[in-house]
Amino acid sequence: MSMKWLLQFLLDHSIQWLGPNAVPCTFCGQMIREGSSPSRNGLPSELPKSFTGSVCHICLHAIPWLLHLKCRICGRGIVCGDCARRTNAYFVANRSAVQYTSEMREWLAQYKYRGNEQLGPLLAEMMVPAYHAVTKLAAARIILQNRTLRIPLNGGAASTDKFRWDAVTYVPVSSERAEERGFNQAERFAERISRQFHIPLINMLSRDRHTEKQSFQSRSERMRNTQRLFRALPEGLDHLSRTAIDPAIGNQAASSQALPAPEPRQRRQILLIDDIYTTGSTIQSCSEALHRNAPFPLDIYALTWARS
Ligand SMILES: [Zn+2]
Ligand SMILES: [Zn+2]
């Protein structure tokens, strides 16, 4: 009896041995015992339990989490030429959950193009650790601006208790693409983040033209094509202007108390969601449109599922 055969036999029959509470791994279909708690070694500490409970050990530990950043701006795991070249910084920084490897590309494609919609919530849950990272960064920056405390720019041990995002928004898809796919993955991810962290979800952008898939374009073509591709929606900015924040009260979505009217020029902290960050030109272009049209200053941060 060969070892390979034995392994295959064990895999094939694991469902009976795991008992009636076994569930298939959402990504590969391998049966896992429901409620089993896999080793969390090497996983981001904020990864939700609901995620680790739906994914087998092998898939879980194959995820290329972006935990060790080299570029503070785009959140990449390597030193970064694109960020060094950027001249107009319309957004502060990006944080992504994972590296966009061929395996991650396949997971996203299953969701975006092959109708495997049950992957959506899981992909969104994968963004939770990066959400905490970008929130710490934004909180740290505000503390530094207020000069109440000196802390490292990566967020360090900054307290995020008093920090509130004014809104979460997302990169829009063209109407053609929304029609052919039936949904916008960035919007779905933003809905999830909005719900979990009680941040108002505001649709602030529209996309003018339908562009060729960016993956087939060179860097300069991509930059050119995303310029002026997005427009800020006046009703979205208007909604944002009425979103009052009072750190003493806490998060606005959970509070039923009447909030004080916001200062007209008060800076708004915006979290912009997309699925993939490649050169940053999409995030840059969306941020530029928002800055150009908002009647108040904005600090825009991006949260993306993968960094390519
Ligand atoms: Zn699996
Ligand atoms: Zn970078």
Side-chain angles (χ1 to χ4, degrees), residues 71-76 78 80-84 277 307:
C71 180
R72 287 173 169 208
I73 295 172
C74 70
R76 217 174 188 185
I78 53 168
C80 182
D82 281 336
C83 291
Y277 183 109
R307 175 72 176 93

